[in-house]
Amino acid sequence: MEKSRFYQCTNPVCRLRFPAQLERKPLTNCPRCQSPLENVLARQDVLASNPRQTIEGLPVFEGVLDNIRSSFNVGAMFRTADGAGLRRLHLCGITPLPIQTKVAKTALGSEHAVEWSYHPNGLEAVTEMKTAGMKILALEIGERAISLFDIARSPLSTPTALVIGSEITGIDPGILELCDQKLWIPMLGYKRSLNAAIAFAIAAYTLRFGG
């Protein structure tokens, strides 16, 4: 059964080519120039799911979101956590919670698949995790930080927590003192850092599956 169809504008100047879901009413005119459209292709496998895997037997992997300000970033981090097999997200300080509409908008249901807990004091939360024997990694540039790709040549083998902080203020200095290692993502361009949700995704997948 078709999942979507692709259209192409017949206007040789426009030539817009785009998809539309099958469930919608068939289109006849180009949304850009209003010229007639040609139905050029149908796909059977659009958005087909990856084969579902399980985290059973994998080392415990958790995330600590330390005072992340953006609700949309938090929602995106939930999707990353679900995909990379993080067991839990610890939401600390002023980090928005999944009960907020903007978080749920980008989490797209993953907030129900990943366990989470709220901690007013992130330092206390990380202290408990450290005491329980978890390895604490901080995604933070600075002195004695090493490249993410130098440490993650093989997948995680011990219970680990990945900490990420605000794009503006960084990770709480008290939490940094508890971390076993600071990691940075190499940057080749003008900017010295990435969006928090993107950086978290790169680090989470690299640590889980190896670099």
Side-chain angles (χ1 to χ4, degrees):
M1 179 178 178
E2 291 182 9
K3 298 297 183 181
S4 68
R5 57 166 60 95
F6 279 73
Y7 295 92
Q8 182 168 298
C9 179
T10 57
N11 183 339
V13 177
C14 178
R15 303 293 288 170
L16 179 68
R17 189 180 179 99
F18 64 98
Q21 293 179 337
L22 178 68
E23 292 79 9
R24 297 179 180 177
K25 183 178 179 182
L27 301 177
T28 57
N29 297 98
C30 174
R32 182 182 181 191
C33 72
Q34 298 304 310
S35 298
L37 288 172
E38 178 186 8
N39 188 348
V40 294
L41 183 69
R43 288 196 60 180
Q44 307 289 334
D45 60 346
V46 174
L47 297 181
S49 298
N50 289 333
R52 183 170 295 278
Q53 301 182 22
T54 176
I55 63 174
E56 293 181 7
L58 294 177
V60 171
F61 190 17
E62 300 184 354
V64 179
L65 311 189
D66 181 43
N67 291 302
I68 301 297
R69 299 180 306 159
S70 167
S71 299
F72 296 123
N73 276 347
V74 173
M77 290 173 181
F78 265 91
R79 290 193 70 183
T80 291
D82 181 40
L86 274 69
R87 183 179 69 174
R88 176 182 292 271
L89 287 181
H90 301 267
L91 313 180
C92 304
I94 63 171
T95 302
L97 306 183
I99 57 176
Q100 299 184 20
T101 302
K102 290 182 179 179
V103 175
K105 184 175 182 179
T106 46
L108 292 177
S110 59
E111 73 276 22
H112 303 300
V114 178
E115 295 181 8
W116 62 274
S117 53
Y118 172 67
H119 310 271
N121 189 311
L123 176 58
E124 293 178 353
V126 174
T127 298
E128 291 182 7
M129 299 166 74
K130 180 86 171 181
T131 302
M134 294 192 72
K135 183 176 183 179
I136 310 297
L137 301 177
L139 193 58
E140 181 88 14
I141 59 176
E143 187 179 359
R144 291 188 295 277
I146 66 174
S147 170
L148 166 69
F149 304 108
D150 286 340
I151 193 176
R153 298 189 183 282
S154 59
L156 295 175
S157 58
T158 59
T160 301
L162 174 64
V163 185
I164 185 168
S166 164
E167 294 181 16
I168 305 300
T169 60
I171 296 172
D172 185 313
I175 294 177
L176 284 177
E177 291 182 3
L178 294 176
C179 290
D180 296 286
Q181 184 64 62
K182 289 189 291 186
L183 307 174
W184 62 281
I185 298 174
M187 302 289 297
L188 298 178
Y190 167 74
K191 295 296 292 181
R192 299 294 301 277
S193 64
L194 294 168
N195 166 268
I198 293 175
F200 181 75
I202 292 172
Y205 269 85
T206 302
L207 290 169
R208 173 59 88 188
F209 296 107

